[in-house]
Structure formats: C-alpha cells, structure tokens
Amino acid sequence: MALLYGLLWRLLLILVHINRALVSWVRVRLRSWKGRLWERAMAALLLPLALAGFPDHQKKLNHNPDANANAVTRNRAASRRSRWLSDGRSLEKLPVHVGLLVAEEEPSYTDIANLVVWCMAVGISYVSVYDNHGIFRKNNSRMLEEVVRQQQDLLGVDGSKYNVEFLSNSCDKHQHYVVSCRPTVKVLSPEDGKQSIVQAAQQLCRAVENKERSSKDISVSMLDVLLRESKNFPDPELVVKFGPVDSTLGFLPWHIRLTEFISIPSHRNVSYEDLLDALQQYGACQQRLGQ
C-alpha cells in the first residue's frame, strides 16, 4: 500500500507541474497576441494621420532641393572668394597691372574670362587682354559678357562687388553699362602697340609743322607723356604669356621695359593654381632695374 501511495503522489506532482507549464505558456501567448493586436490597432489609427500630412511634406521636399543647392553654391562661392583673397594677401608683392598675352590660335573666351575674374579676386586692379590677331578687340562685347558670366559662376551673388570697368579701345571711355571705380579690364590689339608709337610721333611732327612746337622740344619724355595719356592705366608689372611662341608679339612695346614675363604652355583649361604659381614667381623675383 505504501508503495502505491508513493506512486500516486508522484503522479499528482507531475500533473501539477504540467498544469503550471500549460498555464504559463497560455499566458505568454495571450500577452503576445494582445500586444500584436494593440500594435495593429494603433497602426490602423495613426496611418490616416500620417497620410494626411504626406502631401505637405512632399511639397517641402520638392522645394528644398533648389534651396539646398543654392545654399551649397553660395557657400562654395564664399569659400572660393575667401581663399583667393587670402592668397592675394599672402603674396610677397602683388602686381597692380597684369597683362594676359595669348599667343595661340582660336582663343577661348571662357578661359580668359576665368583668368580675369581670378585676377580681380586676388586683388589686382588692372587686367589687359591681348592677342596679336586682334580677335578679342573685334569681339569686345563678347569678352565682357563672358567675364560677367564667369563672375556669377565663380564669385556667386557677391560677384557684384567685383564689377569690372571695361575701357573702350577707340577712345578709352567707359562703356555705359559698366560701374566705375572697379577693377579695370582693357582689351588690346597690335594697334595699341607699335601703331600707337607711330601715331604719337606723327602728332609731334604735325605740331612742329604747324609751329606749335619746336623740333628742339621733341624728346623721349615728351613721347612718353603722349603715349601714357593715350592709355590711362599703369605699365604692366607682370605679363602672363600663353602659347609656345617666345615673343611679346607687339604687346605694348613702350610700356614693358620693366615688365616681368612668365610663360604658361596654354590658356585652354588653365587653372587657378597656374595663375597663382605665376603670381608667386613674380612675387619672388628681384628686379634690379639695370643695376
């Protein structure tokens, strides 16, 4: 009997453990099912609210790309301006007047305009552009338009601070759409070189012929005064020559006696670093002025 009671007691204990395990499993499943049911109910309630606000959010996203792109462009332009101005201040000496001499066929207006804008950005006051075929002179307005376009691309909205003063080659008068007291750009051709010397000499000869001057009054200094009055800008301290030709090609022969010439293989696809390297070379050179 005692053995039978022992077996029954153990069987009861086993049944109790099984019952507890089943109850625990049912409770866990019930909680999990209730949680999922609650999540689905909340999702069903919140989904219409989320969809109601989606069109407005989509409109904002449609507008933000342009605003963000403009902000990025402005930041890049501001960063470039700051860098170029800092580069100009770091040079040992900065030329007041830089000449850009193009000794290549088929000049690139965009690349020359880039050079003009970079010169203005580092603090150069006068920039002259020259080619021995007079292509830039014949297309002066196109040159100006390209400079203005590159100002906007490279300098951004603050490019107006660098508005250039374009001089007309025929009479050196300001063009009507240009703001004065700005960096000055002049487009030159061979007519501004030897031909201007010939014209100045003819003017002196006519003055002697008309007895307005004496032949004894004619001197180098007088010719120098006439030539400088016709140009209205200082002599170039630096001329950057582009192309394989080792010649000044008639670039202002009277005004370059103290000018430093630095050559760059080509003006096409020229970079800002190329120009900066030329300015650094000029800053490091020692001009002994014949001593």
Side-chain angles (χ1 to χ4, degrees):
M1 279 306 279
L3 181 60
L4 181 60
Y5 287 141
L7 292 174
L8 290 173
W9 178 250
R10 291 180 180 180
L11 181 60
L12 288 172
L13 290 176
I14 292 172
L15 292 174
V16 169
H17 286 297
I18 292 173
N19 181 63
R20 289 179 178 176
L22 288 173
V23 170
S24 298
W25 180 81
V26 169
R27 286 178 179 176
V28 170
R29 296 296 296 177
L30 185 61
R31 289 175 183 174
S32 176
W33 179 75
K34 286 182 178 179
R36 291 177 182 175
L37 181 62
W38 175 255
E39 290 176 357
R40 291 176 182 177
M42 291 299 296
L45 291 173
L46 295 176
L47 182 60
L49 296 176
L51 292 176
F54 182 75
D56 293 336
H57 181 66
Q58 186 65 31
K59 290 180 181 178
K60 292 180 181 179
L61 289 178
N62 290 337
H63 289 291
N64 282 339
D66 292 338
N68 292 338
N70 291 335
V72 170
T73 301
R74 287 194 298 269
N75 290 337
R76 287 178 179 175
S79 177
R80 285 194 295 258
R81 290 195 304 272
S82 177
R83 176 201 170 188
W84 295 337
L85 185 59
S86 176
D87 288 341
R89 290 173 177 172
S90 67
L91 294 172
E92 294 185 17
K93 56 180 179 179
L94 186 68
V96 175
H97 179 186
V98 170
L100 304 176
L101 194 166
V102 180
E104 298 177 272
E105 301 293 336
E106 299 181 1
S108 169
Y109 289 85
T110 300
D111 289 312
I112 292 299
N114 285 339
L115 288 163
V116 171
V117 173
W118 292 331
C119 285
M120 293 189 296
V122 299
I124 295 169
S125 300
Y126 296 87
V127 181
S128 55
V129 180
Y130 177 91
D131 72 285
N132 64 319
H133 298 295
I135 296 176
F136 290 125
R137 162 76 76 86
K138 295 174 184 176
N139 300 279
N140 196 24
S141 59
R142 179 181 174 184
M143 186 76 250
L144 173 61
E145 291 173 0
E146 194 63 38
V147 169
V148 172
R149 184 180 298 110
Q150 294 309 115
Q151 279 182 272
Q152 294 298 321
D153 290 344
L154 298 175
L155 301 177
V157 293
D158 286 344
S160 58
K161 296 179 181 179
Y162 301 90
N163 280 348
V164 299
E165 175 185 354
F166 251 77
L167 295 180
S168 172
N169 292 278
S170 58
C171 57
D172 281 349
K173 292 182 180 179
H174 304 164
Q175 295 188 13
H176 67 279
Y177 41 77
V178 178
V179 180
S180 60
C181 302
R182 301 289 187 178
T184 302
V185 177
K186 184 163 184 179
V187 181
L188 303 173
S189 72
E191 296 178 5
D192 299 292
K194 295 180 180 180
Q195 186 61 31
S196 63
I197 299 176
V198 172
Q199 292 173 353
Q202 291 174 343
Q203 183 179 346
L204 288 176
C205 291
R206 283 194 297 268
V208 172
E209 183 180 4
N210 296 331
K211 297 182 180 180
E212 297 173 359
R213 294 182 182 276
S214 169
S215 59
K216 296 180 181 180
D217 296 333
I218 299 177
S219 63
V220 173
S221 60
M222 181 177 294
L223 181 62
D224 183 70
V225 170
L226 288 176
L227 290 170
R228 295 187 187 285
E229 286 178 351
S230 66
K231 295 305 170 206
N232 287 331
F233 56 81
D235 293 351
E237 293 97 338
L238 169 66
V239 170
V240 182
K241 183 183 71 66
F242 302 94
V245 180
D246 293 327
S247 171
T248 62
L249 298 175
F251 178 86
L252 298 180
W254 190 268
H255 301 77
I256 57 174
R257 59 191 182 89
L258 300 177
T259 301
E260 188 75 17
F261 279 78
I262 294 176
S263 296
I264 293 178
S266 176
H267 74 292
R268 291 187 172 276
N269 300 317
V270 67
S271 66
Y272 168 74
E273 285 69 24
D274 294 328
L275 176 64
L276 180 61
D277 181 66
L279 293 173
Q280 290 172 339
Q281 290 184 51
Y282 168 78
C285 73
Q286 295 182 357
Q287 293 178 307
R288 302 185 182 277
L289 306 180
Q291 298 179 356

